[in-house]
Each structure stands twice: as structure tokens, then as C-alpha cells.
Amino acid sequence: SFFICYDCNEVSPDPHISFRCLTCGLDYDLASFEFKTFYRYAVNPEVISGLQEQKRPLRMIANELMRQGYEVQLAARITGASKVKHKVDLIYSRLGQPKGAVFLFTDKGGSKIHDVMKIIVMKADTKIDNIKILCLGQLDSDSRRLAELYNISIIENVASMNLETEVIPRLVS
């Protein structure tokens, strides 16, 4: 490849490349500047849609509990007697007194033993007795046994249930 100068028609195999800063007007060549890589990130709308769909049961349950006169908090943080803040997917109360807590396990498969242990610690620290675990699928047997040992109710296969008639009545009972 050869390059032709538009001013003097000189032909050269190596062009002189220069740059002009649009802010200060300084001219410089390829050897006197530093290359930097800038990254651009974008949120995948399909992932957001999938996450919103997974949280849909909680939103529907929250709406129904509010309709029944409960105060509801989604993605709540509750401080226990130990002053530790515990994350709860849904908490419902009456007259400022917590009546129950709900945790949603959205991913199918795999052990949830560590998640159940966190719930047990939260239960002991906050003195909330009515705790339910909702699973879109099935809970593994070890996690199920541990939850049952601490009187934590489990509702499995929530994704295939009618929330109003099959799930919500079990939450407030």
C-alpha cells in the first residue's frame, strides 16, 4: 500500500499519522501518546426479565397479604436481638408486630443447607416463629430435614401452584 499526500502529491509507503486533541488543540504523533482501553457494559434484558419472573410469586403474595390487611415488606432487613441485620425476602406484620417471614428459593437443584442455616439463625435472633420457605422446585432432602427440625415450613413446587388458593392460605395459617 502507498499513501498520497493531498497537498503535495508525494507518494510514501509509511504515512505520518498525527492526532489533534479536540480540547486543547495539541498535535501529537503515534509514538507520543498512550493507548487506553475503555470498557462498556450493558445489562442483559433477558436476565432482568428472568429475575423478575422468578420474583413474581413474592409480588403476588405481597399484594394478597396487603389486601388481607397485613403490612408487607419485600427484600426487608430486620435487626435481631444480636443487632445483626438479617435479609428476608418478605416479611408481613400487623400493627407493627411481625407475623411471619417468607424466603424464596428460586434456583432448582443443589444443596440449600447454608441458606437454611442462615434462616435458622435469623429465626432465633428475631423471635419470628412463623417462617416459610417457598421453593420453585424441590428442596434437597438434607435441607428439608434441617428446616423441619427447626419448625420451618416448606412449600415446594410453587411455580406450578395457584398462589391465591394453594400458597397464601398456608402462609397465614
Side-chain angles (χ1 to χ4, degrees):
S1 295
F2 288 94
F3 301 91
I4 299 174
C5 175
Y6 288 125
D7 285 338
C8 67
N9 290 327
E10 178 71 26
V11 176
S12 170
D14 299 314
H16 175 74
I17 299 173
S18 66
F19 301 91
R20 174 170 287 148
C21 176
L22 297 177
T23 302
C24 69
L26 178 70
D27 287 323
Y28 52 94
D29 64 7
L30 202 56
S32 63
F33 73 91
E34 177 183 350
F35 280 102
K36 289 198 176 198
T37 302
F38 293 93
Y39 297 97
R40 179 177 174 195
Y41 298 96
V43 177
N44 185 336
E46 292 172 11
V47 171
I48 290 175
S49 176
L51 290 172
Q52 288 174 334
E53 187 60 29
Q54 286 180 345
K55 297 294 182 179
R56 189 172 77 73
L58 283 178
R59 286 193 311 274
M60 291 178 69
I61 289 166
N63 290 337
E64 180 59 25
L65 288 170
M66 284 189 286
R67 194 184 67 70
Q68 292 182 17
Y70 288 96
E71 300 137 14
V72 176
Q73 286 181 294
L74 287 166
R77 296 240 181 228
I78 184 166
T79 304
S82 67
K83 306 296 183 218
V84 171
K85 291 188 182 214
H86 303 277
K87 185 179 172 214
V88 181
D89 292 330
L90 184 146
I91 247 184
Y92 56 99
S93 328
R94 270 229 169 101
L95 303 172
Q97 293 299 318
K99 297 295 180 187
V102 178
F103 293 87
L104 179 66
F105 291 174
T106 55
D107 53 343
K108 298 173 180 142
S111 176
K112 295 293 181 195
I113 201 104
H114 294 290
D115 296 315
V116 172
M117 290 172 67
K118 287 179 189 177
I119 294 169
I120 291 167
V121 169
M122 187 275 315
K123 180 179 180 178
D125 195 26
T126 61
K127 306 289 191 253
I128 298 175
D129 287 327
N130 185 12
I131 297 180
K132 309 283 195 235
I133 296 174
L134 305 181
C135 302
L136 293 183
Q138 292 280 105
L139 191 61
D140 63 284
S141 61
D142 290 337
S143 300
R144 182 182 305 108
R145 277 195 303 272
L146 183 62
E148 289 169 352
L149 183 65
Y150 286 90
N151 296 318
I152 297 171
S153 301
I154 302 163
I155 304 172
E156 297 176 302
N157 298 314
V158 171
S160 62
M161 297 174 116
N162 182 311
L163 294 175
E164 288 181 34
T165 60
E166 297 177 273
V167 176
I168 293 171
R170 291 169 65 182
L171 292 178
V172 294
S173 62

